[in-house]
Amino acid sequence: MKKWAPLLWIPLLVLAAAWVLADRLQSIDFQDVKQQLLAQPASTVMLGLLFSIGVYALVGIYEGIAVRMASGRTMPAVAFRTAIISNPIGRAIGLALVSGGALRYRMYAAAGLSAREVASVIVLAAMPYFFSVGWLIDLSLLLNAETAAKALRLSTGVVLLLGAIGLAKDIGWLTFVIRRKEPMVVRGQPLPVPTLRDTSVQLAVGLVQISLMTGILYIFMPAELAMSWPAFIAIYCIAFVAGQLSNVPAGLGVLEAALLLMLPQVPPGKLLGAILAYRAVYEILPLLVALGLLVMFESTSASGVLRRRLLRR
C-alpha cells in the first residue's frame, strides 16, 4: 500500500473525467458535433496540419540534440525517425514515458546506444514539456487573469497569486541552474545539473511546441469561445497536463472533461467537434505515419522483426 498508494489518484482522475463526460453527454446534440467538424474551412484544416508538422519537426530536431547530449554521437536522421515513431505511438498506447521509451530503446539499441544512454535520451526528451508547461501556464495566468479566473471559477486575486507563485518557481529553477556548478547527488548517484544553454534550448523548444499544439485546437474552436489565443494557452495546458497525468491513451476523455468544465460558455457539441478535429490532425494522422515508419523500420533494419521473418522464408 505504501508503494502503490501515490498512484491511486490516477483511477480517481479517470473516474472523475468519466463522470463529467457522462453528465455532459446527456446535453450534447451530436448534430452540433457533426456541424462543427464540417464547418471547418479547408484553409483552417491546412493551417492545423502546418502547426502539427511544426510540432513534430521540432520534436524530431530536439531528439537529435538529446541524443548528442546523452551519448556524444550525432545521428540526426535516426533521432528524427525515432521521435516521429515513438511520440505518437507512445501517446496512443498510454503511459507515454514507458511505451515511448520502449520504442526508443528498440530503435536506439539497434543504432548502438547503451541502455544508460537511451534512458538519458528519454529523460531529456521530456524536459521541454516539463519546463515549458509551467512557464506558459504561469505567464498566461498573470497576463490574462480575468479570463482565467472565469474559466477556473476562482477570484482574479487567487489567479494572480497562483501565477506569481508559479513564475517564482520557474525563475528559481533558472537561478539554480545558473548558480549550481556541481552535480546533485541522489541516493549516492551524481546527477549533473543541465547547463544554462541546455536549459534555454529545452525551454525555447518546449514553448514553441506547446504554443503550436494549443494553436491547433484554438483555430478549430467555435466563435463562442470568445477568448484570445494567449488566454486560451493556460486552459489548454491545464487540460493537457491532466490528460498526461492520467496515463490514459492520448488523455482520451480526461482532456475533453477538463475543457468541458473550464469552458462552459462553449456549446458542448461544438467543443467536442473542435476536439475531434484537433485529435485527427495532431494525433490520428501522425499515428498513421508513425505506424508506417515502424513497419518500414522492422522490414528494412538488420534487427527488424519483419525482415528476419521474411529472410527465414
Side-chain angles (χ1 to χ4, degrees), residues 106 294-313:
R106 170 83 182 91
L294 182 60
V295 170
M296 189 181 301
F297 170 80
E298 297 293 355
S299 303
T300 59
S301 173
S303 60
V305 175
L306 295 177
R307 187 172 187 267
R308 290 203 301 268
R309 290 187 176 181
L310 289 172
L311 289 175
R312 287 174 187 172
R313 294 181 181 179

Coordinates of all heavy atoms in Angstrom, one line a residue, residues 106 294-313:
R106 N 14.2 0.2 -28.4 CA 14.3 -0.8 -29.5 C 15.0 -0.2 -30.7 O 15.8 -0.9 -31.3 CB 12.8 -1.0 -29.9 CG 12.6 -1.8 -31.2 CD 12.8 -3.3 -31.0 NE 12.7 -4.0 -32.2 CZ 13.7 -4.3 -33.0 NH1 14.9 -4.0 -32.6 NH2 13.5 -5.0 -34.1
L294 N 7.3 2.6 -38.6 CA 7.7 1.5 -37.7 C 7.7 0.2 -38.5 O 8.7 -0.6 -38.4 CB 6.7 1.4 -36.5 CG 7.1 0.2 -35.6 CD1 8.5 0.4 -34.9 CD2 6.0 0.2 -34.4
V295 N 6.7 0.0 -39.4 CA 6.7 -1.2 -40.2 C 7.9 -1.2 -41.2 O 8.6 -2.2 -41.4 CB 5.4 -1.2 -41.0 CG1 5.4 -2.3 -42.1 CG2 4.2 -1.5 -40.1
M296 N 8.2 0.0 -41.7 CA 9.4 0.2 -42.6 C 10.7 -0.2 -41.9 O 11.5 -0.9 -42.4 CB 9.4 1.6 -43.1 CG 10.5 1.8 -44.2 SD 10.5 3.5 -44.8 CE 8.8 3.7 -45.4
F297 N 10.8 0.3 -40.6 CA 12.0 0.0 -39.8 C 12.1 -1.5 -39.6 O 13.2 -2.1 -39.7 CB 11.9 0.7 -38.5 CG 12.9 0.3 -37.5 CD1 14.2 0.8 -37.6 CD2 12.6 -0.6 -36.5 CE1 15.2 0.4 -36.6 CE2 13.6 -1.0 -35.5 CZ 14.9 -0.5 -35.6
E298 N 11.0 -2.1 -39.2 CA 11.1 -3.6 -38.9 C 11.3 -4.4 -40.1 O 11.7 -5.5 -40.1 CB 9.8 -4.0 -38.2 CG 9.5 -3.3 -36.8 CD 10.5 -3.8 -35.8 OE1 11.4 -4.7 -36.1 OE2 10.5 -3.2 -34.6
S299 N 11.0 -3.8 -41.3 CA 11.1 -4.5 -42.6 C 12.5 -4.4 -43.2 O 13.0 -5.2 -43.9 CB 10.1 -4.1 -43.6 OG 8.8 -4.2 -43.1
T300 N 13.2 -3.3 -42.8 CA 14.5 -3.0 -43.5 C 15.7 -3.0 -42.6 O 16.8 -3.2 -43.0 CB 14.4 -1.6 -44.2 OG1 14.1 -0.6 -43.1 CG2 13.3 -1.5 -45.2
S301 N 15.5 -2.8 -41.3 CA 16.6 -2.8 -40.3 C 17.2 -4.2 -40.2 O 16.4 -5.2 -40.3 CB 16.1 -2.3 -39.0 OG 17.2 -2.5 -38.0
A302 N 18.5 -4.3 -39.9 CA 19.1 -5.6 -39.8 C 18.5 -6.4 -38.6 O 18.5 -7.6 -38.6 CB 20.6 -5.4 -39.6
S303 N 18.0 -5.6 -37.6 CA 17.5 -6.3 -36.4 C 15.9 -6.3 -36.4 O 15.3 -6.7 -35.5 CB 17.9 -5.6 -35.1 OG 17.5 -4.2 -35.1
G304 N 15.4 -5.9 -37.6 CA 13.9 -5.8 -37.7 C 13.2 -7.2 -37.6 O 13.7 -8.2 -38.2
V305 N 12.1 -7.2 -36.9 CA 11.4 -8.5 -36.7 C 10.8 -9.0 -38.1 O 11.0 -10.1 -38.4 CB 10.2 -8.3 -35.7 CG1 9.4 -9.5 -35.6 CG2 10.8 -7.9 -34.4
L306 N 10.2 -8.1 -38.8 CA 9.6 -8.5 -40.1 C 10.7 -8.9 -41.1 O 10.5 -9.9 -41.9 CB 8.8 -7.3 -40.7 CG 7.6 -6.9 -39.9 CD1 6.9 -5.7 -40.6 CD2 6.6 -8.0 -39.8
R307 N 11.8 -8.2 -41.1 CA 12.9 -8.6 -42.0 C 13.4 -10.0 -41.7 O 13.7 -10.8 -42.6 CB 14.1 -7.6 -41.9 CG 15.2 -7.8 -42.9 CD 16.1 -6.6 -42.9 NE 17.1 -6.7 -44.0 CZ 18.3 -7.2 -43.9 NH1 18.6 -7.8 -42.7 NH2 19.1 -7.3 -44.9
R308 N 13.6 -10.3 -40.4 CA 14.1 -11.6 -40.0 C 13.2 -12.7 -40.4 O 13.5 -13.8 -40.9 CB 14.4 -11.7 -38.5 CG 15.6 -10.9 -38.1 CD 16.1 -11.4 -36.7 NE 15.1 -11.3 -35.7 CZ 14.9 -10.3 -34.9 NH1 15.7 -9.2 -35.0 NH2 13.9 -10.3 -34.0
R309 N 11.9 -12.4 -40.3 CA 10.9 -13.5 -40.7 C 10.8 -13.7 -42.2 O 10.6 -14.8 -42.7 CB 9.5 -13.0 -40.1 CG 9.4 -13.1 -38.6 CD 8.0 -12.9 -38.1 NE 7.9 -13.1 -36.7 CZ 6.7 -12.9 -36.0 NH1 5.6 -12.6 -36.7 NH2 6.7 -13.1 -34.7
L310 N 11.0 -12.6 -42.9 CA 11.0 -12.7 -44.4 C 12.2 -13.5 -44.8 O 12.1 -14.3 -45.8 CB 11.0 -11.3 -45.0 CG 9.6 -10.5 -44.9 CD1 9.8 -9.1 -45.4 CD2 8.5 -11.2 -45.7
L311 N 13.4 -13.2 -44.2 CA 14.6 -13.9 -44.6 C 14.5 -15.4 -44.3 O 15.1 -16.3 -45.0 CB 15.8 -13.3 -43.9 CG 16.2 -11.9 -44.3 CD1 17.3 -11.4 -43.5 CD2 16.6 -12.0 -45.8
R312 N 13.8 -15.8 -43.2 CA 13.6 -17.2 -42.9 C 12.9 -18.0 -43.9 O 13.0 -19.2 -44.1 CB 12.9 -17.3 -41.5 CG 13.8 -17.0 -40.3 CD 13.0 -17.0 -39.0 NE 13.8 -16.5 -37.9 CZ 13.3 -16.2 -36.7 NH1 12.0 -16.4 -36.5 NH2 14.1 -15.8 -35.8
R313 N 11.9 -17.2 -44.6 CA 11.2 -17.9 -45.6 C 12.0 -18.1 -46.9 O 11.7 -18.9 -47.7 CB 9.9 -17.1 -45.9 CG 8.9 -17.0 -44.8 CD 7.7 -16.2 -45.2 NE 6.8 -16.1 -44.0 CZ 5.6 -15.4 -44.1 NH1 5.3 -14.7 -45.2 NH2 4.8 -15.3 -43.1

